Amino acid sequence: MTSHPTVGVEEEFLLIDSQSGEPIARNKQVAASAAEHGVDLQLELTSCQVETTTDVTATSSALRSELSRLRRTAAEAAAANGAQLLAVALPPTVPHKFPVTPTARYRRIAHRFGMIAHEQGICGCHVHVAVPDRDAAIHVSNWLRPWLHVLLALTANSAIYRNTDSGYASFRSVLWSRWPSSGPPPHFDSVAQYDSAVAMLERAGVALDDGMIYWDVRPSANFPTVEVRVSDVPATVAETVLLATLIRAGAMTALRGYDEGESVPCLADSQIRAAHWKAAHDGLEGDGIDLLGDQAPVPVRDLLGRFVETVRPALMALDDYEMVRGELARVVAEGNGAIRQRRAWRKRNEIADVIGELAAAVTSD
């Protein structure tokens, strides 16, 4: 590709009662209020969630502006309806189950998948990067597989759940793995092999449609993009911009290799799953697994540094290298969402402190 691929981001948010801190079923009302201000919020599976979708953007600064605008409007719409918007991957405190948004498709999902569907409130971030065709999307997916766990650790934002420390930096990814079509995808040798795998899942009822292919990276079912879904919704706009820029640079690096006929190593699914579990558990403060090296534990921060240097030519082409280095240093110094949650929780073991920290971060830069 001669031009830089564009990028777009979908962010899922939680709606809570500002008094009790529990999820509140008001996504339709919040979406209606946001629409009055020109923002189209999507309704998610459970009625305590909304999703924003950025325009297609060509620069990280344009993406930052879009994300800030959407978060601000969504937060104001939530407040206008007696709710509070949080950028958090799991509710810090929850009722027994959440009501499902009453659309025909979501009712079908709830009927088929039972409590997995009802125990949601799970909020992720989906980054779309433009690709020339589906063959290229498969190549980019394969190239990103060994790095997905590093991006998960970077954005982990679901440590506190059900009024306690879950023991994981990203407990969202643990709960999300219960869906049979979720998690890191297999390595695919062709589009035909990918389509065959998806068709098998749908024939078996494991997924009801293409939209339920929840793999952490996949060719988008609706857009000419590769979609990366591995991340918790980041706590701040700056962290989402950092994530999206790293994914975009990774896709550009993979596309350059695709054009040059480079092959991608086919790592065992067991290795990938182990790396994802460890990233979900340890987060940014612990070790990851060096999947492209000797499979040894390596500090996640070192793996992030390796990834940045691997995609450095792409970041330089985007004029984002210094921004990424600066933002990464800031996240390491100040902590990502999971670290912020635990820091707030350890003050008094009070959920109110965690919610206060998250509420302050959602519209911050």
Side-chain angles (χ1 to χ4, degrees):
M1 294 180 66
T2 56
S3 61
H4 305 325
T6 54
V7 64
V9 174
E10 300 161 346
E11 290 191 298
E12 297 166 344
F13 299 99
L14 180 72
L15 301 171
I16 66 164
D17 182 287
S18 57
Q19 299 301 315
S20 69
E22 290 191 354
I24 188 169
R26 293 188 184 167
N27 62 355
K28 285 189 174 181
Q29 298 93 318
V30 172
S33 293
E36 295 175 1
H37 298 279
V39 170
D40 183 19
L41 295 181
Q42 303 301 311
L43 304 183
E44 285 301 300
L45 176 59
T46 52
S47 52
C48 59
Q49 294 172 273
V50 292
E51 181 185 71
T52 61
T53 304
T54 70
D55 290 337
V56 175
T57 61
T59 66
S60 59
S61 59
L63 179 62
R64 185 184 303 271
S65 177
E66 266 284 277
L67 291 167
S68 296
R69 177 181 69 87
L70 293 171
R71 284 192 178 207
R72 184 170 57 251
T73 302
E76 290 169 354
N81 288 276
Q84 188 167 37
L85 188 83
L86 295 184
V88 62
L90 285 178
T93 182
V94 299
H96 178 61
K97 66 178 183 180
F98 307 139
V100 170
T101 299
T103 67
R105 180 172 182 270
Y106 286 156
R107 285 196 181 104
R108 287 178 61 217
I109 291 174
H111 177 74
R112 174 68 176 172
F113 294 93
M115 287 301 295
I116 294 180
H118 285 279
E119 290 187 334
Q120 288 295 287
I122 292 177
C123 297
C125 176
H126 308 156
V127 178
H128 290 260
V129 180
V131 291
D133 52 48
R134 296 182 74 228
D135 289 299
I138 293 296
H139 182 86
V140 173
S141 297
N142 289 338
W143 190 94
L144 286 171
R145 275 179 86 232
W147 295 107
L148 291 172
H149 67 113
V150 181
L151 300 175
L152 173 61
L154 172 65
T155 58
N157 188 24
S158 47
I160 307 302
Y161 182 59
R162 295 189 181 274
N163 299 290
T164 193
D165 189 327
S166 68
Y168 291 78
S170 173
F171 198 55
R172 175 205 64 92
S173 63
V174 176
L175 295 183
W176 190 245
S177 68
R178 297 176 302 176
W179 289 93
S181 55
S182 67
H187 179 106
F188 292 108
D189 291 328
S190 66
V191 171
Q193 188 181 40
Y194 175 88
D195 288 342
S196 176
V198 169
M200 182 277 291
L201 294 174
E202 293 180 7
R203 281 197 310 271
V206 170
L208 298 187
D209 51 39
D210 289 355
M212 285 193 70
I213 303 304
Y214 294 145
W215 285 322
D216 291 334
V217 58
R218 67 180 188 183
S220 172
N222 301 310
F223 306 105
T225 64
V226 62
E227 180 182 6
V228 180
R229 307 167 50 91
V230 71
S231 170
D232 285 8
V233 61
T236 65
V237 167
E239 289 170 69
T240 300
V241 173
L242 174 61
L243 170 72
T245 304
L246 288 172
I247 290 171
R248 186 186 188 192
M252 289 171 62
T253 304
L255 288 170
R256 186 186 66 230
Y258 176 71
D259 289 342
E260 295 172 356
E262 292 181 1
S263 60
V264 175
C266 179
L267 299 180
D269 291 346
S270 59
Q271 295 172 323
I272 300 284
R273 286 197 302 270
H276 276 243
W277 182 90
K278 189 159 181 59
H281 185 271
D282 289 12
L284 187 59
E285 296 180 295
D287 287 341
I289 298 177
D290 182 10
L291 290 175
L292 293 175
D294 59 5
Q295 316 292 311
V298 174
V300 166
R301 296 171 182 184
D302 291 350
L303 290 175
L304 280 164
R306 290 186 196 176
F307 183 74
V308 169
E309 291 309 306
T310 298
V311 302
R312 180 173 181 170
L315 290 173
M316 296 290 286
L318 293 169
D319 199 24
D320 279 333
Y321 179 66
E322 293 302 329
M323 181 276 288
V324 162
R325 289 189 64 200
E327 290 294 344
L328 191 55
R330 185 163 74 98
V331 173
V332 167
E334 298 177 4
N336 61 6
I339 295 170
R340 291 172 182 230
Q341 288 182 40
R342 283 181 166 142
R343 187 184 299 141
W345 173 252
R346 288 166 181 165
K347 292 177 182 176
R348 301 183 299 160
N349 286 4
E350 290 285 345
I351 286 296
D353 295 336
V354 178
I355 290 173
E357 173 66 31
L358 293 167
V362 65
T363 54
S364 70
D365 292 330

